[in-house]
Amino acid sequence: MQEQLALVPRATEAQQAVEANPKQARRLRWKWAEASIWTDRMLAALETEVKGSVWFRLIDKVFSLKNLWSSWSKVAKNHGSPGADGITIERYERDVESNLRWLSEQLQSGAYRPEPIRRSYIPKGDGTQRPLGIPTVRDRIVQGAVRQVIEPIFEKEFAACSYGFRPGKGCKDALRRVDELLKSGYRYVVDADLQSYFDTIPHDLLMQQVRTRVADGRVLKLIELFLEANIMEGLEQWTPTAGAPQGAVLSPLLSNIYLNPLDHLLAEQGYEMVRYADDFVILCKTKQEAETALETVKQWTAQAGLSLHPDKTRLIDAATESFEFLGFKFDKGRRWPRDKSKKKLRESIQKRTKRTSGVSLQVTIDRINPVLRGWFGYFKHASKGAMREVDSWVRMRLRSILRHQHKLKGRGRGADHQRWPNAFFARMGLLSLDQAHQLARRSMKMAH
């Protein structure tokens, strides 16, 4: 079925561009390898169309079996929990071919309707709980199929300062940019916090943003159905009037679409913003600039139906004060894992180092090493000395296990450091975060 673009003359130009430059087609195909339903002609049109173009014919790309299979592979790979219907990934997979064919037919006929979203909670570092919305497996597949169709359209216009949930970008890129700005003299920081952002996005204003690029009524209706799907918590159900549930496949893209105008507004006014989803900082060279930037954000959020957290939004001088961003604490030119990040690691290690577990010390070390490696992989660019405290605490947990095995009470300390020195744990293969950190820093210096 031939795709229809908003600007027909430009479609011809896009086709000619593909035929004249096969390398460009291959580059675009690689860039959007996940968007398997996008043809070379459509991908080229993204590069050649005039700004403000609208895409009309997209629903056939959503319900194509190729797209649904691609989406299913990602849903299966994530191994998520079952939704409100209780159907697991494993159960869905038993008859996946007929299940996907049924989904395609339902989407093509217009009969498809999302099922309720199961509400779940995960603890946050401040003692509160973060609400998650878990769609059913089949709804996650359809949301992924929609995302793969519309993401390239919006990705083209997202601002450079946005790093969250974007192809080829991530936390480390955002943190690197903050480091660069701080070292370039941007010492005043607007540390902003959007209060309950994912739960408060106004549906009508969000859909207005989506309609600026998507004019296919059936695709728009699908997105609206997902936004309005009932929330199920225990035996209760209700229909949300705002928000895009965290945990839903489509929500990260929709959240970026809604904040994109703010990104461009601040960029046009010359501000250096670094945003990852709803977490962002604005770095300025003077206090007055930071105050003006904060006022701009306040005005924008008010008209956008959002609100800044009154206690967590603040203006700081990074030369004398610290601030936190994406798990790190930036403190007067140094970067440390923040206390909440270290607390989460400790909780994970504690579960694997119980003195009464009954397993050998070697088994315990084999269990905690992957956790330590994963944590180090994210925090390896912290400042010198950032890992020593964690190393010391981990060895204390292991010495406590050894004390218990030797019928001794209490935590590992004092003479235990001579009885089981650091070298003892190194010989058993325990990962030393501090040593790994030193090696990583040495490698980075040699690379430069």
Side-chain angles (χ1 to χ4, degrees):
M1 192 177 294
Q2 191 177 19
E3 61 270 15
Q4 178 183 354
L5 308 181
L7 302 176
V8 177
R10 302 295 293 187
T12 302
E13 181 181 335
Q15 182 65 32
Q16 292 172 348
V18 170
E19 294 172 352
N21 192 350
K23 287 186 178 180
Q24 181 197 39
R26 287 197 296 272
R27 179 181 64 81
L28 294 170
R29 175 63 61 197
W30 177 84
K31 179 180 178 182
W32 288 108
E34 287 191 354
S36 56
I37 40 71
W38 276 73
T39 65
D40 289 340
R41 175 176 172 267
M42 293 173 69
L43 291 170
L46 281 174
E47 304 289 317
T48 58
E49 280 181 342
V50 296
K51 188 175 181 180
S53 58
V54 182
W55 293 72
F56 289 90
R57 185 69 178 176
L58 296 170
I59 188 63
D60 57 313
K61 309 301 182 297
V62 174
F63 64 66
S64 77
L65 279 172
K66 183 179 181 182
N67 188 29
L68 292 171
W69 272 106
S70 175
S71 180
W72 153 251
S73 68
K74 296 174 181 62
V75 171
K77 186 178 179 180
N78 287 335
H79 302 290
S81 302
D85 62 358
I87 295 178
T88 62
I89 295 289
E90 293 74 19
R91 182 177 169 186
Y92 194 90
E93 190 173 20
R94 290 174 198 162
D95 201 13
V96 64
E97 188 170 348
S98 62
N99 286 337
L100 294 182
R101 193 179 303 113
W102 180 85
L103 271 183
S104 178
E105 292 168 355
Q106 290 284 298
L107 289 165
Q108 188 169 0
S109 67
Y112 171 84
R113 292 294 182 274
E115 295 183 278
I117 294 173
R118 180 170 67 86
R119 174 60 63 90
S120 180
Y121 294 90
I122 57 173
K124 296 172 62 176
D126 58 5
T128 61
Q129 291 187 314
R130 184 189 306 278
L132 292 181
I134 304 176
T136 61
V137 173
R138 68 164 192 145
D139 290 341
R140 297 206 290 270
I141 295 169
V142 177
Q143 286 196 33
V146 173
R147 181 188 65 80
Q148 291 186 155
V149 170
I150 69 172
E151 184 177 41
I153 297 170
F154 292 97
E155 173 64 27
K156 179 188 175 184
E157 297 189 2
F158 284 159
C161 65
S162 170
Y163 293 86
F165 311 112
R166 295 188 60 190
K169 288 193 169 189
C171 290
K172 292 180 181 180
D173 301 297
L175 291 165
R176 189 179 301 112
R177 181 58 180 160
V178 171
D179 263 342
E180 290 172 354
L181 291 169
L182 288 172
K183 291 173 181 176
S184 299
Y186 290 79
R187 59 180 282 185
Y188 294 94
V189 181
V190 176
D191 185 5
D193 185 279
L194 290 171
Q195 192 165 18
S196 303
Y197 172 61
F198 280 87
D199 289 333
T200 57
I201 303 173
H203 288 171
D204 56 341
L205 297 180
L206 170 60
M207 291 308 300
Q208 284 181 23
Q209 288 295 321
V210 176
R211 288 189 185 95
T212 61
R213 296 292 174 266
V214 175
D216 188 317
R218 293 175 65 183
V219 172
L220 293 170
K221 182 62 177 177
L222 260 182
I223 297 172
E224 289 177 335
L225 288 172
F226 284 126
L227 293 173
E228 297 167 0
N230 280 359
I231 304 294
M232 177 181 289
E233 185 171 358
L235 298 177
E236 296 183 5
Q237 282 194 51
W238 70 91
T239 303
T241 57
Q246 293 190 69
V249 178
L250 199 53
S251 293
L253 174 61
L254 295 177
S255 71
N256 274 337
I257 290 172
Y258 197 62
L259 290 179
N260 189 48
L262 174 63
D263 297 342
H264 285 286
L265 173 64
L266 292 172
E268 289 165 3
Q269 295 185 5
Y271 295 113
E272 292 288 354
M273 176 188 190
V274 181
R275 181 173 69 80
Y276 191 97
D278 59 333
D279 194 1
F280 65 90
V281 289
I282 306 169
L283 294 95
C284 305
K285 288 191 173 181
T286 68
K287 185 177 181 180
Q288 183 178 359
E289 286 178 0
E291 290 171 344
T292 305
L294 178 56
E295 186 59 33
T296 299
V297 173
K298 286 180 178 179
Q299 292 176 6
W300 188 90
T301 52
Q303 61 86 28
L306 305 173
S307 58
L308 293 171
H309 197 293
D311 300 323
K312 296 181 180 179
T313 299
R314 60 199 185 111
L315 193 159
I316 67 160
D317 180 355
T320 59
E321 302 171 274
S322 64
F323 68 97
E324 295 180 353
F325 186 59
L326 298 181
F328 279 89
K329 180 179 181 180
F330 291 83
D331 186 16
K332 296 182 282 293
R334 307 193 75 185
R335 193 166 90 181
W336 309 91
R338 68 176 184 170
D339 291 341
K340 291 179 183 178
S341 302
K342 291 187 286 188
K343 181 182 177 183
K344 287 179 68 175
L345 174 66
R346 287 180 177 180
E347 289 172 351
S348 182
I349 296 294
Q350 282 172 338
K351 293 176 183 177
R352 295 165 172 81
T353 55
K354 293 181 179 179
R355 281 178 278 184
T356 57
S357 66
V359 301
S360 69
L361 184 67
Q362 187 63 63
V363 170
T364 300
I365 289 174
D366 291 343
R367 287 177 177 175
I368 66 176
N369 270 344
V371 178
L372 294 172
R373 288 192 190 95
W375 197 80
F376 175 75
Y378 186 81
F379 290 103
K380 64 182 178 182
H381 296 296
S383 297
K384 184 179 179 181
M387 305 293 170
R388 291 171 190 165
E389 177 191 348
V390 178
D391 272 342
S392 177
W393 181 86
V394 170
R395 288 192 291 262
M396 179 276 293
R397 294 287 299 181
L398 296 178
R399 290 186 178 107
S400 298
I401 292 175
L402 290 168
R403 284 182 64 84
H404 181 79
Q405 291 175 354
H406 286 74
K407 311 300 181 183
L408 300 172
K409 295 181 180 180
R411 297 190 306 172
R413 52 192 170 189
D416 295 327
H417 289 264
Q418 285 74 47
R419 190 180 291 119
W420 302 295
N422 296 353
F424 169 79
F425 298 107
R427 287 194 298 271
M428 295 197 71
L430 176 67
L431 174 67
S432 168
L433 296 175
D434 187 52
Q435 288 183 8
H437 191 229
Q438 291 180 40
L439 287 172
R441 288 174 61 85
R442 199 174 302 142
S443 298
M444 285 187 287
K445 286 181 180 179
M446 291 176 64
H448 290 297

